[in-house]
Amino acid sequence: MTKENYNPIPQPNEIDIREKEDAMGAYLMMFAALGAGLPLPVLNLVAAIIYYYINKGKSLFVRFHSLQSLLSQLPTSILNAVAVFWGARIVFLDYAFTDVFKGYLWLVGIANLIYIIFSIIGAVKARKGQMYYFLFFGRVSYQSVFKKKDIDTHKMVNQPPKM
């Protein structure tokens, strides 16, 4: 990764308050299911996808935080969905409540707790106009958002005026 291949990262004093709040809002989408009072693990993921597509054109800062929040919700949403469907199978189809399921619930609980902590930190940092990189998802989001797009000038019909 060389600096020339990436757009510059905006500094906190260059970002207006609205962009900071929009970036912070991306991390708060995780509370969408809780706010609606529904135990549906996919609802927060759907809210994050909608939020990303609505806000991705605002600025690179907002787009980065929205994408990072969306990508980081994928693993926990999958874990939560499996837990809900597995639990529903136990309740409605009289499957056994095994130690494996209890262990899985512990895993899901710990994963959700870690996700909530990182999301709160990300929201606070975004509100301050700072970049915060999650493990793996931060790098993927940065490379996706800040990488300069290759534009082939040979195929461009409209050119700027010649000086």
Side-chain angles (χ1 to χ4, degrees):
M1 277 192 323
T2 61
K3 283 184 166 181
E4 299 85 36
N5 295 336
Y6 292 89
N7 290 308
I9 297 174
Q11 298 305 306
N13 60 341
E14 301 170 347
I15 304 167
D16 67 18
I17 191 75
R18 180 68 183 166
E19 287 181 41
K20 293 176 184 177
E21 289 174 351
D22 287 341
M24 177 186 69
Y27 295 105
L28 301 180
M29 286 295 108
M30 66 179 207
F31 295 112
L34 296 175
L38 300 172
L40 300 174
V42 188
L43 186 63
N44 59 343
L45 185 61
V46 170
I49 291 169
I50 292 169
Y51 194 86
Y52 172 73
Y53 280 106
I54 289 173
N55 291 295
K56 74 177 185 173
K58 291 189 176 179
S59 72
L60 293 178
F61 182 75
V62 174
R63 186 176 188 166
F64 166 79
H65 285 289
S66 297
L67 182 60
Q68 178 171 254
S69 174
L70 171 62
L71 293 177
S72 64
Q73 282 188 29
L74 290 173
T76 53
S77 293
I78 292 169
L79 288 172
N80 291 341
V82 170
V84 166
F85 292 120
W86 193 352
R89 233 173 91 176
I90 290 171
V91 171
F92 296 116
L93 300 177
D94 293 329
Y95 280 80
F97 190 79
T98 63
D99 288 339
V100 174
F101 182 66
K102 290 177 193 173
Y104 185 76
L105 289 179
W106 273 101
L107 170 74
V108 170
I110 292 168
N112 278 291
L113 182 63
I114 290 169
Y115 172 68
I116 289 169
I117 291 168
F118 276 104
S119 291
I120 290 171
I121 293 169
V124 170
K125 294 280 191 178
R127 180 63 173 89
K128 292 179 180 179
Q130 299 172 354
M131 300 294 284
Y132 181 70
Y133 304 101
F134 289 6
L135 282 174
F136 179 71
F137 303 111
R139 180 177 292 264
V140 170
S141 299
Y142 172 77
Q143 290 174 346
S144 174
V145 172
F146 284 96
K147 186 169 178 120
K148 288 184 180 176
K149 308 297 184 236
D150 293 329
I151 300 173
D152 188 5
T153 57
H154 295 86
K155 294 182 182 178
M156 292 177 64
V157 176
N158 297 326
Q159 297 289 330
K162 296 187 181 1
M163 302 288 172

